[in-house]
Amino acid sequence: MTMSNKRWLIAAVAVFAALFAFTAIHQGGMQMSHDSQRYIEAANTQLQYEDPGIPYTCWPPLYPILLALVGPSAAPAGVLNAVVFALTAGLLFWLLERQFGRAWALVGTAAFAFSPMYDTFLIFVWSEATFGLLVTATFLCCWQYVRTGAARLV
């Protein structure tokens, strides 16, 4: 399979994951918890250019910064989570396909997409989905480096 075809396949997996994510979010809406309120508060603080204070003491800054960029409320957080979910699925598929082949990559990515725990991360205003993307990207980079000795992905 050519590199162009692989990119289309990775993109198709990511689009499917995004559609699944938007459907899951639309079914029950975004859920809020105490942590969710703190993330939104931290994003609002970021928008007002104030001293972040307490929110960054207990919660990592990346997710509130991303929330500030898309809009610090539940609906934009759902879009952010769906995009992060799609990116994670695409990277996971890419990693699994390189290591185990296309069939196992589809199985592994489907197991990820339909995982009840990750779906919970998807519908809450929590940073876990973003963390999952960062961990997947880190594994992909480390695997590529060990495999080739090169510090690049392609």
Side-chain angles (χ1 to χ4, degrees):
M1 178 177 256
T2 67
M3 188 59 162
S4 176
N5 288 344
K6 285 184 181 182
R7 287 184 182 144
W8 277 108
L9 186 58
I10 292 167
V13 167
V15 167
F16 173 78
L19 292 173
F20 174 76
F22 280 118
T23 302
I25 291 168
H26 180 70
Q27 292 288 328
M30 289 298 290
Q31 304 297 312
M32 297 293 287
S33 68
H34 174 69
D35 287 359
S36 304
Q37 294 167 346
R38 296 298 289 199
Y39 282 124
I40 290 173
E41 179 184 321
N44 280 322
T45 302
Q46 194 68 17
L47 286 174
Q48 297 166 4
Y49 300 102
E50 294 177 9
D51 177 28
I54 297 296
Y56 292 118
T57 305
C58 300
W59 286 268
L62 178 60
Y63 192 66
I65 290 169
L66 293 174
L67 276 178
L69 292 174
V70 299
S73 65
V79 173
L80 174 64
N81 283 1
V83 168
V84 165
F85 184 78
L87 290 172
T88 305
L91 287 179
L92 181 64
F93 178 82
W94 189 14
L95 175 64
L96 293 175
E97 183 188 32
R98 287 175 157 205
Q99 184 66 30
F100 303 110
R102 185 171 304 124
W104 285 110
L106 288 171
V107 169
T109 305
F112 159 77
F114 298 114
S115 162
M117 193 67 224
Y118 206 87
D119 292 346
T120 300
F121 297 156
L122 181 64
I123 63 170
F124 275 89
V125 182
W126 290 346
S127 66
E128 278 81 352
T130 306
F131 180 74
L133 173 62
L134 294 176
V135 168
T136 305
T138 301
F139 273 112
L140 182 60
C141 291
C142 290
W143 179 83
Q144 180 68 10
Y145 182 76
V146 167
R147 190 176 73 86
T148 65
R152 58 190 186 104
L153 289 177
V154 182

Coordinates of all heavy atoms in Angstrom, one line a residue, residues 58-127:
C58 N -3.8 22.2 40.9 CA -4.3 20.8 40.9 C -4.6 20.2 39.6 O -4.8 19.0 39.4 CB -5.6 20.8 41.8 SG -5.3 21.3 43.5
W59 N -4.8 21.1 38.6 CA -5.1 20.6 37.2 C -4.1 21.1 36.2 O -3.6 22.2 36.3 CB -6.5 21.2 36.8 CG -7.6 20.5 37.6 CD1 -8.3 19.4 37.1 CD2 -8.1 20.8 38.9 NE1 -9.2 19.0 38.1 CE2 -9.1 19.9 39.1 CE3 -7.8 21.8 39.8 CZ2 -9.9 19.9 40.3 CZ3 -8.6 21.8 41.0 CH2 -9.6 20.9 41.2
P60 N -3.7 20.2 35.3 CA -2.7 20.6 34.3 C -3.2 21.7 33.4 O -4.3 21.8 33.1 CB -2.4 19.3 33.6 CG -3.6 18.4 33.8 CD -4.2 18.8 35.1
P61 N -2.2 22.5 32.9 CA -2.7 23.7 32.1 C -3.1 23.5 30.7 O -3.7 24.3 30.1 CB -1.4 24.6 32.2 CG -0.3 23.6 32.3 CD -0.8 22.5 33.2
L62 N -2.7 22.4 30.0 CA -2.9 22.2 28.6 C -4.4 22.2 28.3 O -4.9 22.9 27.4 CB -2.3 20.9 28.1 CG -2.6 20.7 26.6 CD1 -2.0 21.8 25.7 CD2 -2.0 19.4 26.1
Y63 N -5.2 21.4 29.0 CA -6.6 21.3 28.7 C -7.3 22.7 28.9 O -8.1 23.1 28.1 CB -7.3 20.2 29.5 CG -8.7 19.8 29.1 CD1 -8.9 19.3 27.8 CD2 -9.8 20.1 29.9 CE1 -10.2 18.9 27.4 CE2 -11.1 19.7 29.5 CZ -11.2 19.2 28.2 OH -12.5 18.9 27.8
P64 N -7.1 23.4 30.0 CA -7.7 24.7 30.2 C -7.3 25.7 29.1 O -8.1 26.5 28.6 CB -7.3 25.2 31.5 CG -7.0 24.0 32.3 CD -6.5 23.0 31.3
I65 N -6.1 25.6 28.6 CA -5.6 26.5 27.5 C -6.4 26.1 26.2 O -6.9 27.0 25.5 CB -4.1 26.4 27.3 CG1 -3.4 27.0 28.5 CG2 -3.7 27.0 26.0 CD1 -1.9 26.8 28.6
L66 N -6.5 24.8 26.0 CA -7.3 24.4 24.8 C -8.8 24.8 24.9 O -9.4 25.2 23.9 CB -7.2 22.9 24.6 CG -5.8 22.4 24.2 CD1 -5.8 20.8 24.2 CD2 -5.4 22.9 22.9
L67 N -9.3 24.7 26.1 CA -10.7 25.1 26.3 C -10.8 26.6 26.1 O -11.8 27.1 25.5 CB -11.2 24.8 27.8 CG -11.7 23.4 28.0 CD1 -12.0 23.3 29.5 CD2 -12.9 23.1 27.2
A68 N -9.9 27.4 26.5 CA -9.9 28.8 26.3 C -9.9 29.1 24.8 O -10.6 30.1 24.4 CB -8.7 29.5 27.0
L69 N -9.2 28.3 24.0 CA -9.1 28.6 22.6 C -10.5 28.3 21.9 O -10.8 29.0 21.0 CB -8.0 27.7 22.0 CG -6.6 28.1 22.4 CD1 -5.6 27.1 21.8 CD2 -6.3 29.5 21.9
V70 N -11.1 27.2 22.3 CA -12.4 26.8 21.7 C -13.6 27.4 22.3 O -14.7 27.4 21.7 CB -12.6 25.3 21.6 CG1 -11.4 24.6 20.8 CG2 -12.7 24.6 22.9
G71 N -13.5 27.8 23.5 CA -14.6 28.4 24.3 C -14.9 27.7 25.6 O -15.1 26.4 25.5
P72 N -14.8 28.4 26.7 CA -14.8 27.7 28.0 C -16.2 27.3 28.4 O -16.8 27.9 29.4 CB -14.2 28.7 28.9 CG -14.4 30.0 28.3 CD -14.5 29.8 26.8
S73 N -16.9 26.4 27.8 CA -18.2 25.9 28.2 C -18.3 24.4 27.7 O -17.4 23.9 27.0 CB -19.3 26.7 27.6 OG -19.3 26.7 26.2
A74 N -19.4 23.8 28.0 CA -19.5 22.4 27.8 C -19.6 22.1 26.3 O -19.0 21.1 25.8 CB -20.8 21.8 28.5
A75 N -20.3 22.8 25.5 CA -20.5 22.5 24.1 C -19.2 22.6 23.3 O -18.9 21.6 22.6 CB -21.6 23.4 23.4
P76 N -18.4 23.6 23.4 CA -17.1 23.6 22.7 C -16.2 22.5 23.3 O -15.4 22.0 22.5 CB -16.5 25.0 23.0 CG -17.7 25.9 23.3 CD -18.7 25.0 24.0
A77 N -16.3 22.2 24.5 CA -15.5 21.1 25.1 C -15.8 19.8 24.4 O -14.9 19.0 24.2 CB -15.7 21.0 26.6
G78 N -17.1 19.6 24.1 CA -17.5 18.4 23.3 C -16.8 18.3 22.0 O -16.3 17.3 21.6
V79 N -16.7 19.4 21.3 CA -16.1 19.5 20.0 C -14.6 19.2 20.2 O -14.0 18.4 19.4 CB -16.3 20.8 19.3 CG1 -15.4 21.0 18.0 CG2 -17.8 21.1 19.0
L80 N -14.0 19.8 21.2 CA -12.6 19.6 21.5 C -12.3 18.1 21.8 O -11.4 17.5 21.2 CB -12.1 20.5 22.7 CG -10.7 20.2 23.2 CD1 -9.7 20.6 22.1 CD2 -10.5 21.0 24.4
N81 N -13.1 17.5 22.6 CA -13.0 16.1 23.0 C -13.1 15.2 21.7 O -12.4 14.2 21.6 CB -14.0 15.7 24.0 CG -13.5 16.2 25.4 OD1 -12.5 16.8 25.6 ND2 -14.3 15.8 26.4
A82 N -14.1 15.5 20.9 CA -14.3 14.7 19.6 C -13.1 14.8 18.7 O -12.6 13.8 18.2 CB -15.5 15.2 18.9
V83 N -12.5 16.0 18.6 CA -11.3 16.2 17.7 C -10.1 15.4 18.3 O -9.4 14.7 17.6 CB -11.0 17.7 17.5 CG1 -9.6 17.9 16.9 CG2 -12.1 18.3 16.7
V84 N -10.0 15.5 19.6 CA -8.9 14.8 20.3 C -9.1 13.3 20.2 O -8.1 12.6 19.9 CB -8.8 15.3 21.8 CG1 -7.9 14.3 22.6 CG2 -8.3 16.7 21.9
F85 N -10.3 12.8 20.3 CA -10.6 11.4 20.2 C -10.3 10.9 18.8 O -9.6 9.9 18.6 CB -12.1 11.2 20.5 CG -12.6 9.8 20.4 CD1 -12.3 9.0 21.5 CD2 -13.3 9.3 19.4 CE1 -12.8 7.6 21.5 CE2 -13.7 8.0 19.4 CZ -13.5 7.2 20.4
A86 N -10.6 11.7 17.7 CA -10.3 11.4 16.4 C -8.8 11.3 16.1 O -8.3 10.4 15.5 CB -11.0 12.3 15.4
L87 N -8.1 12.3 16.6 CA -6.6 12.3 16.5 C -6.0 11.1 17.2 O -5.1 10.5 16.6 CB -6.0 13.6 17.0 CG -6.3 14.9 16.2 CD1 -5.9 16.1 17.0 CD2 -5.7 14.8 14.8
T88 N -6.5 10.8 18.4 CA -6.0 9.6 19.1 C -6.2 8.3 18.3 O -5.3 7.5 18.2 CB -6.6 9.5 20.5 OG1 -6.4 10.8 21.2 CG2 -6.0 8.4 21.3
A89 N -7.4 8.2 17.8 CA -7.7 7.0 17.0 C -6.9 6.9 15.8 O -6.4 5.8 15.4 CB -9.2 7.0 16.6
G90 N -6.6 8.0 15.1 CA -5.8 8.0 13.9 C -4.4 7.6 14.2 O -3.7 6.8 13.6
L91 N -3.8 8.2 15.3 CA -2.4 7.9 15.7 C -2.3 6.4 16.2 O -1.3 5.7 15.9 CB -2.0 8.8 16.8 CG -1.6 10.2 16.4 CD1 -1.2 11.1 17.6 CD2 -0.5 10.2 15.3
L92 N -3.3 6.0 16.9 CA -3.3 4.6 17.4 C -3.4 3.6 16.3 O -2.6 2.6 16.2 CB -4.5 4.4 18.4 CG -4.6 3.0 19.0 CD1 -3.4 2.7 19.9 CD2 -5.9 2.8 19.8
F93 N -4.2 3.9 15.3 CA -4.3 3.0 14.1 C -2.9 3.0 13.4 O -2.5 1.9 13.0 CB -5.4 3.5 13.2 CG -5.5 2.7 11.9 CD1 -6.2 1.5 11.9 CD2 -4.8 3.1 10.8 CE1 -6.2 0.7 10.8 CE2 -4.9 2.3 9.6 CZ -5.6 1.1 9.6
W94 N -2.3 4.1 13.2 CA -1.0 4.2 12.6 C 0.0 3.4 13.3 O 0.8 2.6 12.7 CB -0.6 5.7 12.5 CG 0.6 6.0 11.6 CD1 1.2 5.1 10.7 CD2 1.3 7.2 11.6 NE1 2.3 5.8 10.2 CE2 2.4 7.0 10.7 CE3 1.2 8.4 12.3 CZ2 3.3 8.0 10.4 CZ3 2.1 9.4 12.0 CH2 3.1 9.2 11.1
L95 N 0.0 3.5 14.6 CA 1.0 2.8 15.4 C 0.8 1.3 15.3 O 1.7 0.5 15.1 CB 0.9 3.2 16.9 CG 1.8 2.5 17.9 CD1 3.3 2.7 17.6 CD2 1.5 3.0 19.3
L96 N -0.5 0.9 15.5 CA -0.8 -0.6 15.5 C -0.6 -1.2 14.1 O -0.2 -2.3 14.0 CB -2.2 -0.8 16.0 CG -2.5 -0.5 17.4 CD1 -4.0 -0.6 17.7 CD2 -1.7 -1.3 18.3
E97 N -0.9 -0.4 13.0 CA -0.7 -0.9 11.7 C 0.8 -1.2 11.4 O 1.2 -2.2 10.8 CB -1.3 0.0 10.6 CG -1.2 -0.6 9.2 CD -1.6 0.4 8.2 OE1 -1.4 1.6 8.3 OE2 -2.1 -0.1 7.1
R98 N 1.6 -0.3 11.9 CA 3.0 -0.4 11.6 C 3.6 -1.6 12.4 O 4.5 -2.3 11.9 CB 3.8 0.8 12.1 CG 3.6 2.0 11.2 CD 4.2 3.2 11.7 NE 4.5 4.2 10.6 CZ 5.4 5.1 10.7 NH1 6.2 5.2 11.7 NH2 5.6 5.9 9.6
Q99 N 3.0 -1.9 13.6 CA 3.6 -2.9 14.4 C 2.9 -4.3 14.1 O 3.6 -5.3 14.0 CB 3.4 -2.6 15.9 CG 4.0 -3.6 16.8 CD 5.5 -3.7 16.8 OE1 6.2 -2.7 16.4 NE2 6.1 -4.8 17.0
F100 N 1.6 -4.3 13.9 CA 0.9 -5.6 13.8 C 0.2 -5.9 12.5 O -0.4 -6.9 12.3 CB -0.1 -5.7 15.0 CG 0.5 -5.6 16.3 CD1 0.3 -4.5 17.1 CD2 1.4 -6.6 16.8 CE1 0.9 -4.3 18.3 CE2 1.9 -6.5 18.1 CZ 1.7 -5.3 18.8
G101 N 0.1 -4.9 11.6 CA -0.7 -5.1 10.4 C -2.0 -4.4 10.5 O -2.5 -4.1 11.5
R102 N -2.7 -4.3 9.3 CA -3.9 -3.6 9.2 C -5.1 -4.2 9.9 O -5.9 -3.6 10.6 CB -4.3 -3.4 7.7 CG -5.6 -2.6 7.6 CD -5.9 -2.2 6.1 NE -4.7 -1.5 5.5 CZ -4.2 -2.0 4.4 NH1 -4.6 -3.0 3.8 NH2 -3.1 -1.3 3.9
A103 N -5.2 -5.5 9.9 CA -6.3 -6.2 10.5 C -6.3 -6.0 12.1 O -7.3 -5.6 12.7 CB -6.3 -7.7 10.2
W104 N -5.1 -6.2 12.7 CA -5.0 -5.9 14.1 C -5.1 -4.5 14.4 O -5.6 -4.1 15.5 CB -3.7 -6.5 14.7 CG -3.8 -8.0 14.8 CD1 -3.1 -8.9 14.0 CD2 -4.6 -8.8 15.6 NE1 -3.5 -10.2 14.3 CE2 -4.4 -10.1 15.3 CE3 -5.6 -8.4 16.6 CZ2 -5.1 -11.2 16.0 CZ3 -6.2 -9.5 17.3 CH2 -6.0 -10.8 17.0
A105 N -4.7 -3.6 13.5 CA -4.9 -2.2 13.8 C -6.3 -1.8 13.8 O -6.8 -1.0 14.7 CB -4.1 -1.4 12.7
L106 N -7.1 -2.4 12.9 CA -8.6 -2.1 13.0 C -9.2 -2.6 14.2 O -10.1 -2.0 14.9 CB -9.2 -2.7 11.7 CG -8.9 -2.0 10.4 CD1 -9.5 -2.8 9.2 CD2 -9.5 -0.6 10.4
V107 N -8.8 -3.9 14.6 CA -9.4 -4.4 15.9 C -9.0 -3.6 17.1 O -9.8 -3.3 17.9 CB -8.9 -5.9 16.0 CG1 -9.2 -6.4 17.4 CG2 -9.5 -6.8 15.0
G108 N -7.7 -3.2 17.2 CA -7.2 -2.4 18.3 C -7.9 -1.0 18.4 O -8.2 -0.6 19.4
T109 N -8.0 -0.4 17.2 CA -8.6 0.9 17.2 C -10.1 0.8 17.5 O -10.6 1.7 18.2 CB -8.4 1.6 15.8 OG1 -7.0 1.6 15.5 CG2 -8.9 3.0 15.8
A110 N -10.8 -0.2 17.1 CA -12.2 -0.4 17.4 C -12.3 -0.7 18.9 O -13.3 -0.1 19.5 CB -12.8 -1.6 16.6
A111 N -11.4 -1.5 19.5 CA -11.5 -1.7 20.9 C -11.3 -0.4 21.7 O -12.0 -0.1 22.7 CB -10.4 -2.7 21.3
F112 N -10.4 0.5 21.2 CA -10.2 1.8 21.8 C -11.5 2.6 21.7 O -12.0 3.2 22.6 CB -9.0 2.5 21.2 CG -9.1 4.0 21.3 CD1 -8.7 4.5 22.5 CD2 -9.4 4.8 20.3 CE1 -8.7 5.9 22.7 CE2 -9.5 6.2 20.5 CZ -9.1 6.7 21.7
A113 N -12.0 2.7 20.5 CA -13.2 3.5 20.2 C -14.4 3.2 21.0 O -15.2 4.0 21.4 CB -13.5 3.5 18.7
F114 N -14.6 1.9 21.2 CA -15.8 1.4 21.9 C -15.5 1.1 23.4 O -16.4 0.5 24.1 CB -16.4 0.2 21.2 CG -16.9 0.6 19.8 CD1 -16.3 0.0 18.7 CD2 -17.9 1.5 19.6 CE1 -16.7 0.3 17.4 CE2 -18.3 1.8 18.3 CZ -17.7 1.2 17.2
S115 N -14.4 1.5 23.9 CA -14.0 1.3 25.3 C -14.9 2.1 26.2 O -15.0 3.4 26.1 CB -12.6 1.7 25.5 OG -12.3 1.9 26.9
P116 N -15.7 1.5 27.1 CA -16.5 2.3 28.0 C -15.8 3.3 28.8 O -16.3 4.4 29.0 CB -17.2 1.2 28.9 CG -17.1 0.0 28.1 CD -15.8 0.1 27.3
M117 N -14.6 3.0 29.2 CA -13.8 4.0 30.0 C -13.4 5.2 29.2 O -13.6 6.3 29.7 CB -12.6 3.3 30.6 CG -11.9 4.1 31.7 SD -13.0 4.2 33.1 CE -12.9 5.9 33.6
Y118 N -12.9 5.0 28.0 CA -12.5 6.1 27.2 C -13.8 6.9 26.7 O -13.7 8.1 26.6 CB -11.7 5.7 26.0 CG -10.8 6.8 25.5 CD1 -9.6 7.0 26.0 CD2 -11.3 7.7 24.5 CE1 -8.8 8.0 25.7 CE2 -10.5 8.8 24.1 CZ -9.2 8.9 24.7 OH -8.4 10.0 24.3
D119 N -14.9 6.2 26.5 CA -16.1 6.9 26.2 C -16.6 7.8 27.3 O -17.1 8.9 27.1 CB -17.2 6.0 25.8 CG -16.9 5.2 24.5 OD1 -16.0 5.7 23.7 OD2 -17.6 4.2 24.2
T120 N -16.3 7.4 28.5 CA -16.6 8.3 29.7 C -15.7 9.5 29.6 O -16.2 10.6 29.9 CB -16.4 7.5 31.0 OG1 -17.2 6.4 31.0 CG2 -16.7 8.4 32.2
F121 N -14.5 9.4 29.3 CA -13.6 10.5 29.2 C -14.1 11.5 28.1 O -13.9 12.7 28.2 CB -12.2 10.1 28.9 CG -11.5 9.3 29.9 CD1 -10.4 8.4 29.5 CD2 -11.9 9.3 31.2 CE1 -9.8 7.7 30.5 CE2 -11.2 8.5 32.2 CZ -10.2 7.7 31.8
L122 N -14.7 10.9 27.1 CA -15.2 11.7 26.0 C -16.3 12.6 26.3 O -16.4 13.7 25.8 CB -15.6 10.7 24.8 CG -16.1 11.2 23.5 CD1 -15.0 12.0 22.8 CD2 -16.5 10.1 22.6
I123 N -17.3 12.1 27.2 CA -18.5 12.9 27.4 C -18.4 13.9 28.6 O -19.3 14.6 28.9 CB -19.7 12.0 27.6 CG1 -19.6 11.1 28.8 CG2 -20.0 11.3 26.3 CD1 -20.8 10.3 29.1
F124 N -17.2 13.8 29.3 CA -17.0 14.7 30.4 C -16.0 15.8 30.0 O -15.2 15.6 29.2 CB -16.5 14.0 31.7 CG -17.6 13.4 32.5 CD1 -18.0 12.1 32.3 CD2 -18.1 14.1 33.6 CE1 -19.0 11.5 33.1 CE2 -19.1 13.5 34.4 CZ -19.6 12.3 34.1
V125 N -16.2 17.0 30.7 CA -15.2 18.0 30.4 C -14.0 17.7 31.3 O -13.8 18.3 32.4 CB -15.8 19.4 30.8 CG1 -14.8 20.5 30.5 CG2 -17.1 19.6 30.0
W126 N -13.2 16.8 30.9 CA -12.0 16.3 31.6 C -10.8 16.3 30.7 O -11.0 16.2 29.5 CB -12.2 14.9 32.1 CG -13.2 14.7 33.2 CD1 -13.8 15.7 34.0 CD2 -13.8 13.5 33.7 NE1 -14.6 15.1 34.9 CE2 -14.7 13.7 34.7 CE3 -13.6 12.2 33.3 CZ2 -15.4 12.8 35.4 CZ3 -14.3 11.2 33.9 CH2 -15.2 11.5 35.0
S127 N -9.6 16.3 31.2 CA -8.4 16.4 30.4 C -7.9 15.0 30.0 O -6.9 14.9 29.3 CB -7.3 17.1 31.2 OG -6.9 16.4 32.3

